[in-house]
Amino acid sequence: MSEFMSYDPWSEITTRNGHAGDEMVAMLQKAIRRGKEEDALHAAYEMYITSPQFEEKLWRRLLCISVEDIGFGNPEAPNLIYTLFKMRQEFPYNDGDRPMFFVHAIRYLCRQKKERSSDHVKNLLIHEFEVGEKFEVPDYALDMHTRRGRAMGRDVYHFLTEASRVEPYYETEGAAEIYEKYKALLESEDKGEKCPTAFEFNSWQY
């Protein structure tokens, strides 16, 4: 445990009012996790007035918090936080309106339902790879987009009926009819000839 976070550059920062930089970062995130708006805003404003670099750190934490701590509590949270992150860039660092965007972001995050499962899954995944756990490529991944899939004769029809299957399925109006129409085209022996002006797409995915 002694090696974990053995060097944190923000611990070397002293803020404008004499606080340890790493403590402001920790205070910000823990306060948001607990819905303590005033504490979070105090930490955030101290970070903001310390330096433009610390303001950037503030926003990186807010972006992360919208996923790490809000998670499926509100999947739309990252969209709003990223929008506010970009909007504040339209205002100079010393413009009195610029802090309003992190103030609004923090008040919003504090009031959201929260859950941290994606962070837990990330940490489990990192551990699995660190200890050398291996995984196999499942059969369903092998389709016309892979060398092995093509060698197995898996074509567009296989892609439509197997590889593109989605779960859980969301039924939309007309979706079943469109699927059957495309399936019938693939099953037909007469698909027509390409005209000379037909656009040619790349055969592989970027």
Side-chain angles (χ1 to χ4, degrees):
M1 192 67 182
S2 61
E3 294 182 0
F4 179 72
M5 297 288 286
S6 59
Y7 175 70
D8 177 3
W10 302 107
S11 65
E12 305 298 321
I13 299 296
T14 299
T15 68
R16 178 178 287 264
N17 290 302
H19 294 285
D22 58 345
E23 293 181 10
M24 291 299 94
V25 177
M27 179 177 171
L28 170 75
Q29 188 153 3
K30 274 69 169 185
I32 292 175
R33 284 174 181 166
R34 291 159 176 76
K36 296 182 180 294
E37 289 185 23
E38 186 174 0
D39 286 348
L41 290 169
H42 284 164
Y45 191 68
E46 182 70 8
M47 294 172 71
Y48 179 81
I49 64 175
T50 294
S51 70
Q53 292 78 19
F54 219 11
E55 184 209 10
E56 294 302 318
K57 173 63 175 177
L58 161 64
W59 275 105
R60 286 196 297 273
R61 289 324 304 161
L62 295 179
L63 290 167
C64 187
I65 289 166
S66 71
V67 176
E68 179 183 353
D69 295 321
I70 307 302
F72 290 108
N74 184 353
E76 293 300 314
N79 294 332
L80 177 61
I81 302 306
Y82 186 73
T83 298
L84 294 169
F85 165 70
K86 299 299 287 186
M87 289 173 68
R88 59 98 196 191
Q89 295 175 350
E90 298 298 319
F91 300 82
Y93 176 65
N94 61 351
D95 190 301
D97 282 335
R98 186 162 166 131
M100 179 170 57
F101 297 94
F102 74 72
V103 167
H104 187 62
I106 288 169
R107 296 180 70 220
Y108 172 84
L109 291 170
C110 282
R111 300 176 189 202
Q112 300 310 299
K113 293 180 179 178
K114 303 172 178 70
E115 69 85 36
R116 292 180 36 79
S117 63
S118 289
D119 186 53
H120 299 328
V121 170
K122 177 208 71 175
N123 290 328
L124 288 168
L125 188 62
I126 290 171
H127 175 74
E128 289 172 2
F129 275 72
E130 284 179 341
V131 298
E133 290 191 20
K134 304 298 182 183
F135 64 91
E136 300 292 334
V137 177
D139 180 73
Y140 63 75
L142 305 176
D143 68 353
M144 67 181 195
H145 297 101
T146 67
R147 183 181 298 174
R148 277 203 286 160
R150 291 190 294 274
M152 297 164 71
R154 295 182 173 181
D155 55 10
V156 178
Y157 187 80
H158 169 268
F159 180 78
L160 175 68
T161 57
E162 289 295 331
S164 65
R165 182 156 51 92
V166 292
E167 298 174 3
Y169 177 70
Y170 179 70
E171 182 67 57
T172 56
E173 183 178 355
E177 290 80 3
I178 295 169
Y179 174 86
E180 291 301 329
K181 182 178 181 180
Y182 186 38
K183 184 180 177 184
L185 171 65
L186 295 178
E187 292 173 341
S188 172
E189 294 182 1
D190 181 17
K191 298 181 177 61
E193 296 291 332
K194 280 188 178 182
C195 68
T197 58
F199 185 81
E200 293 290 338
F201 286 96
N202 195 357
S203 61
W204 55 279
Q205 297 171 323
Y206 285 99

